[in-house]
Amino acid sequence: MCSHQPPCPTADSADHDAARIVASHPEQGWSLLCNGVVMFDDTGELLPDSRTVEPRRPALV
């Protein structure tokens, strides 16, 4: 999916959120990365295979 040089990390890589943003919708709270990952403002993620990554933002006390 990525045509950048060097290529962005794949969705299965530990650093998959370092891929470039190809579509940004800050008004809706999400961005699409070139590796197919949907990254949300709360730091949660939806991977291309429908798995989810829980938000990593620390809870406010």
Side-chain angles (χ1 to χ4, degrees), residues 22-42:
V22 294
S24 179
H25 295 277
E27 72 283 359
Q28 296 176 354
W30 62 274
S31 296
L32 174 65
L33 305 181
C34 71
N35 57 8
V37 172
V38 177
M39 186 167 50
F40 297 97
D41 286 352
D42 70 353

Side-chain angles (χ1 to χ4, degrees), residues 9-18:
T10 65
D12 294 332
S13 299
D15 61 344
H16 60 261
D17 52 350

